[in-house]
Amino acid sequence: MERRYALFIAISLAAVLGSQVLRTTLFPKPEEPSVPAEVATDTTTGDVATADADADAGAEKETAANGEESAAKTVDATASVGAASPETLKAAAAAARRRVSLGSLDPNGPTGMLVTLSSRGGTVERIELAGEQFHDQDDRGAYIGHLAADVVPEGCRLGVVGPGTPAARSGLKTDDVIVRVGDSSTPDPQSLAAVLARSKAGRSLSVTFRRPSGETLSPEQTVELQTTRRPLEVIRPEFDAAPVADVAAGFHDPLSFRLGLASRDGSDRPADGELPGQELQAIDWETEVAHGGRVVRFRRKLAGGLQVTKEYRLVTAADDPVGQVDEDRAGRYRLQLRVTFQAAEKTRLEYALDGPNGLPTEGWWYAARVSRSWGGLGVRDVAMRFVGEPTALISSMTLADEDSIPPASAVLAGKPLSFAGVDALYFASGLIPAVEGDEVPALAEVEPLVVGEVPEAARRKLVNVSCRLLSQELELEPGTPVTHRFDIFAGPKRPSLLATFGQPRAAMDDLVYYGWFGWVARPMITILHVLHAIVRNYGIAIILLTVIVRGAMFPISRKQAVSSQKMQVLQPEMKAIAEKYKNDPQKRTMATQELWRKHKYNPAGGCVLVFFQIPIFMGLYRSLATDVELREAPLFTSAIRWCSNLAAPDMMVDWSGFMPSFLVRPEGWLGPYLNLFPLLTIGLFLWQQKLFMPPAVDEQAKMQQQVMKYMMFFMALMFFKVPCGLCLYFIASSLWGIAERLLLPTTKPGAALAGAGGPTVVDAVASRPVDKAAATRKRRKRR
């Protein structure tokens, strides 16, 4: 029987593998058409990128003269077709893009993040989180900072050096030119990125650079730079659902928090661009850094005397002398945006402010998010909440379907908007309108939108999404500015932190959702945090949690073990009943049930433990997939990839290089890594099954046991991409159960039956049909 089942499984797997190999060989995936270098169109927003050879040459000359970064090499997907004249597009392509930073990567700093702003549209290019807990899960190379470098004859000129980065700590400054890193020359940003990718994080690198001195560069200088791992970017530029390291080197989706005019003096914005002469998104704004680097203002003057200002400010406790804002609300992961309009003549306008995009996609190939409704969620979904209502999540999978895009949500007077943004697995970002004062935004509606192209096939769930806030019509009096204020949250989904963003009783804290088993997940998370505060390791905390759970269920599990032992004692009698009534199933069932009642054996007793284990299993699973504190929590150390994240598979070996691609693609059956913990878990399940399962008394029972045994191999496929923290719980729980079974005193059959209120072993033997040979031997012995 075992041989036949093994042969069946082997033939089935061979058939599946063979069909996939033939399909890959005979019908290879067609290559994606390359996008011309001259133009790239965003079909969702109608944006286009244009490159002009003359503009390139002119921009390079201008850049060499004024020391600013060249935007001529930038193929930016934020320019407009139809909205701007060719002269405007050429000017936009030739304009120099400037980048400035707010905040710091210092983990002890008051802001908790480093914000990189771009003069192109006055947008947020990226937001990096500070702290050892927030690292990029995929990039394990050396990181010295996001430098926005461009090419000069001497090497790579740094466009920005953010405070708190390794480059800033070593003394590098904006406009420094890196000549070499170690023994490798760096003539362009690509070579610099390649050198850093080959280096390991945490190691020291020797960086040779030249510093501007008037019209020339100083002689070469060398500094020792201590690298780190790349911090997590909670907002980042993307293209085709992949992060873009340098937006000046190629295509990218529109950046975050873009502003545009929806209408002006009765003229509505066209569907494929901006109003002619009113371009705000594809143009570089005037940039001003104020208040000691804590405030950045972008200004843009439009036709008709209209001036638009965007001011970004990091809010800290020092900005609240009255003490109305506590320290957590003041500066941690909080950025403030003010939008100001001032006209030289009476003007009517409506504006559209886009929200964040480019949130992390980590965990998309192994984690699953849970929705409050029956619909499924994507990797990143649009979230919005109105006062008096729960948070509404609009699935990115729904947005990716052009035929089912939900309509915009109107902002009613009795239910103002509390926040709107994007929700990801462990992180979120949103726009929070001001609720009091003279800067309260007058909003008309909020709509979800897709940013960039929609990926194909299984990567469709990676679609980049955002939201758009549309204002009511504003009437501007000459010389009188109108300002609207928004808070921007971009950070981890900690319930206590999210509760400080948004209006009272309509905050962002309900973005943390554990599903139906939240009543189990919340106390489990609390226990894990308490244990972690003691042992300082979440892996050990999970093991201790297992000990607590199994200890609490010890009476039930011991009863199950005793019941399993009793079942093995009753096997001879059950076999005798099966032989006696093999042609009468009804009498066989009645006799077996009578035997169980006589010896107080309950065959469903083993299900009680499983009944209690399922909520705990689901609660821990949802905890690992929701609680940001468990993200990047290592079992041993973060220096190696294996078991470096208890909320992800253990990722022991990267086997994507030698295994069939349909199996080891991120969206494949097994994933790109060989995981040890699921295999160990299934092995322990099989051992535990062998210890607790009594021998089969007939062919039907034997077949059922074989089916259960081989079902474990299919469970291995199901468990192969679950978090290793969950596998650790199952391993510890299985070892507890096995030890409990092996250490249970071995009771003789007679004693076991007597303890159960039944006959002794002599009675049990006497009640069985007597074998003729045994009876003959007994009579000879008596003679």
Side-chain angles (χ1 to χ4, degrees), residues 50-67:
T50 305
D52 187 283
D54 297 334
D56 288 353
E60 289 177 0
K61 292 179 181 179
E62 181 183 356
T63 299
N66 60 21

Side-chain angles (χ1 to χ4, degrees), residues 360-373:
T361 59
E362 60 183 24
W364 73 272
W365 57 274
Y366 60 81
R369 301 180 63 211
V370 177
S371 172
R372 285 183 168 86
S373 61

Side-chain angles (χ1 to χ4, degrees), residues 56 136 156 243 308 334 337 407 412 457 461 526 603 609 612 632 728:
D56 288 353
D136 191 294
C156 290
V308 184
R334 182 183 294 268
L337 169 62
L412 304 178
K461 64 168 67 175
T526 302
L609 185 63
F612 282 103
E632 286 287 296
L728 183 63

Side-chain angles (χ1 to χ4, degrees), residues 27 34 55 108 122 174-175 221 283-284 338 365 426 474 520 573 600 657 689 696 716:
F27 306 101
S34 59
N108 299 319
T174 302
D175 292 332
Q221 307 175 49
I283 305 296
D284 280 279
R338 280 182 170 87
W365 57 274
Y426 296 108
L474 307 180
V520 180
E573 295 204 29
K600 298 181 180 180
Q689 186 182 49

